[in-house]
Amino acid sequence: MKLNSLILGLLFFATAISLLLCWLPIFSAETNDFLYQKLFYILMGLSLMVEATMFSGKTVKILLVLSGIGTIAGVIFSQQNETFLSIKNISLLLGFVITIFHVNDIKRD
């Protein structure tokens, strides 16, 4: 449980850094596009999947893993098809909604 919390904290820290770096005009437009359009969403999808291990309900775990997979798949396949952009955003939104409404189901050590 503590290892999952550490991994989750590192993922959120990396996500915040990628957001901060893309807001600052330090890098080129292509690098900023990669930081925000790809890396940010991949890190958020991974954090949803790591966060799923912290919940006690099996349904919540499955839904969070699926929303993380949907977010990452949306990033990977968005170059070929525009509908994956909406899948990416909807999956991330669903992951947040599931987390907010099931915050009491988190296992406590």
Side-chain angles (χ1 to χ4, degrees):
M1 181 72 170
K2 292 186 182 207
L3 180 63
N4 289 342
S5 297
L6 176 67
I7 293 170
L8 190 62
L10 290 174
L11 283 171
F12 279 130
F13 183 72
T15 304
I17 292 295
S18 73
L19 252 171
L20 178 69
L21 288 177
C22 77
W23 283 339
L24 299 174
I26 298 173
F27 302 111
S28 65
E30 294 84 21
T31 306
N32 283 342
D33 184 55
F34 171 76
L35 286 173
Y36 181 68
Q37 296 297 331
K38 297 203 181 344
L39 185 65
F40 172 76
Y41 284 100
I42 288 173
L43 290 172
M44 290 304 295
L46 287 173
S47 67
L48 285 172
M49 289 191 279
V50 170
E51 189 176 14
T53 62
M54 302 174 85
F55 284 88
S56 59
K58 185 178 179 182
T59 307
V60 175
K61 287 181 182 183
I62 292 171
L63 289 174
L64 282 175
V65 168
L66 287 176
S67 66
I69 290 171
T71 303
I72 294 172
V75 169
I76 293 171
F77 298 116
S78 64
Q79 297 297 327
Q80 291 119 5
N81 195 343
E82 291 292 321
T83 59
F84 281 102
L85 288 174
S86 59
I87 290 173
K88 171 184 74 172
N89 293 327
I90 291 171
S91 296
L92 186 62
L93 179 65
L94 286 175
F96 286 140
V97 168
I98 291 167
T99 302
I100 289 170
F101 285 112
H102 292 280
V103 76
N104 293 330
D105 295 340
I106 295 177
K107 293 186 268 188
R108 310 272 188 229
D109 283 343

